[in-house]
Amino acid sequence: MKKLTWIAAVLMTGSALTFMACDKDDAIESGITYAELPQAGKTMIESYFGVNAVASVTRKNPVDTDGSLYEVRLNSGVDIDLDGQGNWTDIDGNNQKLPDALIPSPILNYVTKQYPAPLFIEGIDKEPYGYQIDLSNDLDLKFSSDGSFIGLDD
């Protein structure tokens, strides 16, 4: 009887651990090829970062809360998140200056005037209110979708 109780306890513990490990809310990421990215994403990457810039591409499952489905890591260390259509949702320069052409003009003009060199934009995120800009001094700025300055991000 003791042996049967012990076996039942082991089986129940194993089953519980198995169900916890297979939680459907856990993110699953898989490596894919650059060719599998939507065309809009490939066009943006090649236009601003070059044809041979990509080090790795990961497909996320489930989609992130910001709509990101793909994560692209460039050889330079820049990380780009793309949605299912290939539109960027987040670009992190990882302490590197992002190309000016990626930044909406009103935002670039504001940042250049208010935070001159040697400061630079090292990240941009699309947010429900518009954009979050990450500066090289760790300051985060919020802008509306039309590029109007909203304020500092806490």
Side-chain angles (χ1 to χ4, degrees):
M1 186 68 172
K2 277 186 174 182
K3 190 173 188 178
L4 186 57
T5 304
W6 184 81
I7 291 173
V10 168
L11 289 175
M12 288 188 340
T13 302
S15 295
L17 291 174
T18 300
F19 288 123
M20 287 176 14
C22 296
D23 187 347
K24 67 181 176 188
D25 294 334
D26 289 347
I28 300 170
E29 296 184 351
S30 56
I32 63 170
T33 66
Y34 178 69
E36 294 175 87
L37 280 178
Q39 187 58 48
K42 291 189 286 190
T43 300
M44 186 276 296
I45 291 166
E46 292 167 10
S47 296
Y48 297 109
F49 299 101
V51 176
N52 297 314
V54 175
S56 66
V57 181
T58 304
R59 182 181 169 96
K60 303 173 184 183
N61 186 19
V63 174
D64 283 350
T65 56
D66 67 354
S68 298
L69 179 61
Y70 302 99
E71 184 175 307
V72 180
R73 171 73 106 161
L74 303 183
N75 292 319
S76 64
V78 172
D79 290 318
I80 304 171
D81 288 348
L82 305 171
D83 65 14
Q85 289 74 46
N87 303 307
W88 67 266
T89 57
D90 178 18
I91 304 174
D92 184 353
N94 289 313
N95 300 314
Q96 299 174 66
K97 183 180 185 300
L98 294 182
D100 288 346
L102 268 173
I103 312 302
S105 295
I107 295 173
L108 182 62
N109 292 338
Y110 179 89
V111 171
T112 303
K113 186 175 181 180
Q114 298 298 320
Y115 302 94
L119 295 180
F120 57 87
I121 297 173
E122 68 173 16
I124 184 169
D125 302 346
K126 288 184 182 170
E127 299 289 349
Y129 56 79
Y131 299 94
Q132 176 182 309
I133 300 295
D134 305 327
L135 298 180
S136 56
N137 65 349
D138 292 329
L139 197 61
D140 295 336
L141 311 175
K142 295 184 344 184
F143 292 86
S144 66
S145 56
D146 69 359
S148 300
F149 180 69
I150 296 173
L152 298 175
D153 191 31
D154 297 335

